Amino acid sequence: MRFVRNDRPMQTSNQRWRERIGAAGRVAAVAAALCLLASAAQAQEARFAGSWIDEATDLRSAFREVVTAARQSTVRVLVGDKPLALGAIVAGDGWILSKGSDLQGQDLRCRLSDGRELPAALRSYDQDTDLALLKVNAEGLTPLHWRKAADPAVGEWLATVGQDPRPRAIGIVSVDRRQVPAQRISGVLGIVLDESSDSARIDEIIAESAAAQATLQPGDVIMRVADKAIENRRSLIRLIREYEPGTTLDLTIRRGEVELVLPATLTHPFGQFLSRIAAQNHMGGGLSLRRTGFPAVIQHDTVLSPEDCGGPVVDLDGAAIGLNIARAGRTESFALPADIVQAALTRLQSSIPADPQLATDPPPPESPADPNTTSVNAGAQ
Amino acid sequence: MKRFRSSAVTGLLAWGGLLCGLAAAAIAEETAPPAPSLQAPAPGEPAPPAPALSDAAPDSPELAVAETGLPAVFSKTGPEGLDDLRAIQAHIRSIVGRLTECTVSVQIGPAQGSGVIVTADGYVLTAAHVSGKPGRHVDVILANGRHVAGTTYGRDDTLDAGLIKLNSGKDWAHTDMAPADSIRFGEWCISTGHPGGFQEGRTPVVRLGRVIFVTSRVVQSDCELVGGDSGGPLFDMQGRVIGINSRIGEDTQANFHVPIGAYAKSWERLVKSESFRSHSGALLGISGTKESSGLKITKVHPGEPAAEAGVQEGDILVTLGANKVTSMQQLIELVGTYHPRREVELELLRDGKPIELSVRLGFRFD
């Protein structure tokens, strides 16, 4: 899509830019809307994750001086050519924090702001915050400068620092600091319930879901799950949520005049099937695998790719208010506040084993010790 | 506003995902709605007057900004440096508290959405697909977590405009509705709402963006929305409601809102709890005059759906979708009962001979 660039004479004619960009804008807005017809996965790789109009008006350039200092303290964490995360330098002799659950694989490397790529060793991992402490062999690096004042307030600009003169992405604070309880991953049956009915009557079977495999049909009414009677839609939803992916449940259903018992094996939400809301949440880009279970986050509206988490996010004074820790949904990105990061750093430094070969790697997300399911900060479900 | 050639355009509304909260949100694949019927006003007390509107914005953006006292940066293409960023930030910070205060969570049966209070006596704008039929009980949750009872009122099912009223109280924190035609391409905007559904302890979620598309039937912004945001407000920089969250598409920029004009223009019908439809925005692309057998086509607009389908000047349009065509006005209304992009069959007379053509309706940009 070719954008109309504004050449920006000293006296900008606002009327003209609106007309010029407006005409292109109408077509581009439709094109952006049409983009959904193209493969979302293909679109993600190359495309900048931000807004068309922000690019057309070069919004990110206004933030150049905001990110200049913090760029020195920002690294890109890679495996081969694949970017895994961003990271923050926390000590001049090469200690770096990043988002641990995305750092899978051997041969991690960090690319510094001067372009040098150095091998990085993962030294320790903090489950509570999903932060990992890395070490590169370097001297004289610039540690990140943290904001000392209170949290940034709702409506304040936040710039995500990358390795370019312009920020990687920008946004505003959306919600004040709050805890985000860990969400246990519930198994998925794969049905849409009839909303006009109070009973657990199936309206739709999602293709290739647990329900489809179990040969459930639209119109079936679910009477029992295992040995528990189902009174209404809500009790079915509550009950199914209690079971993990992979659990096989005997469903007693009424089909017309007949009662059948069909076993259904619940699927994993990150597997073949996503719920309608989860699907919507995934519309517009991938989400971080570990995106819940944080002691405190500052939520902001920056459109971030998951691999752009782990590094500094700064205020208009260029001070880091925290580290981006998750792309949590279509409308939300999370940053760990500076004080939480610093407390985690203390824990991480004291937990480094004497023998580096005994360093704890963050568990891969699919393992039973999934960070999403076992957080000491688990609040209400 | 100039009509756009729409034949190459797929309807923005045709595939957008509805934002209805935790209930299943289906991609909107609508069948042709029934013909609109203008309902007579209900007898009894007259409808209360529409809420006070701010003064109409003048034509020039610079003048508009000066008159409203907004910082000059809001009339620029975009912020040019740190001073501009600070000015934007200070302004957002000065209005955001009031905006979240007026934003509510709305729960009706299994559906969850959002809304915004626009009058002191408690009228709440929301989306029609959230409020549904008139007369239903609503559990409204204010930004401070307090629960208040409300009732659903009228709705425009085409434009997705819905109305709720809080059942009691007269001093509700509220914000003004912007004038119907004041929305500008490129203007800065703030969206609030409860994405993902109401969460205890989480205030309405604030997002900043810009208007990237506007017609009388839809506003598009780059404020990302998701299920649960339906019915929530889009504000301008004066803190007035300019849109209500309605649908999304795949792209993070595909966020669609009901323009505020849909509420202002139909206020009395909404307050009287009417359920109605308005013109869908579908486009055929002809002009004609009434004739004994139908509509004699005097102009086939180049590039528009009728032209693409092979309709010619001089043809007489007899039926559209098996409905008899009796006048230009009736044809406009009839086309408005179909969804944009819908394929419809035309029966025509060409040189006295009956022919049939299939047309894929387009999308009006007005």
Side-chain angles (χ1 to χ4, degrees), chain A residues 6 14-15 18 26 29 33-34 36 51-52 59 62 153-154 157 174 195 277 280 283-284 301 303 317 330-331, chain B residues 4 10 12 15 18 21 61-62 75 77 85-86 89 93 185 206 208 222 224-225 227 249-251 253-255:
Chain A
N6 185 347
N14 300 299
Q15 201 67 358
R18 282 176 197 274
R26 276 184 285 275
L34 290 175
L36 77 90
S51 160
W52 163 83
L59 173 65
V154 172
W157 285 114
S174 295
E195 281 160 30
I277 293 296
Q280 283 199 0
M283 281 164 80
D301 71 348
V303 177
D317 294 322
R330 178 182 162 106
T331 65
Chain B
F4 268 72
T10 55
L12 293 172
W15 45 257
L18 288 172
E62 295 97 326
S75 69
T77 309
L85 295 177
R86 291 201 192 280
Q89 178 168 289
R93 292 273 307 120
F185 167 81
V206 180
L208 176 66
D222 62 359
E224 293 83 24
L225 308 175
E250 179 71 31
D251 197 273
Q253 297 165 77
N255 310 286

Side-chain angles (χ1 to χ4, degrees), chain A residues 36-83:
Chain A
L36 77 90
L37 300 174
S39 158
Q42 284 161 7
Q44 267 169 50
E45 297 303 294
R47 190 171 58 84
F48 167 65
S51 160
W52 163 83
I53 195 170
D54 290 344
E55 286 310 282
T57 60
D58 201 16
L59 173 65
R60 287 190 289 156
S61 282
F63 287 83
R64 281 171 190 254
E65 56 183 294
V66 169
V67 298
T68 301
R71 271 178 65 205
Q72 309 301 316
S73 311
T74 303
V75 307
R76 165 62 75 190
V77 185
L78 308 143
V79 153
D81 283 332
K82 182 166 182 262

Side-chain angles (χ1 to χ4, degrees), chain A residues 147 150-159 171-174 300-301 314-317 321, chain B residues 89-90 92-93 96 208:
Chain A
R147 172 168 166 143
D151 282 345
V154 172
E156 276 196 47
W157 285 114
L158 293 180
I172 62 161
V173 177
S174 295
H300 53 108
D301 71 348
V314 300
D315 61 19
L316 285 188
D317 294 322
I321 63 97
Chain B
Q89 178 168 289
I92 303 291
R93 292 273 307 120
V96 76
L208 176 66

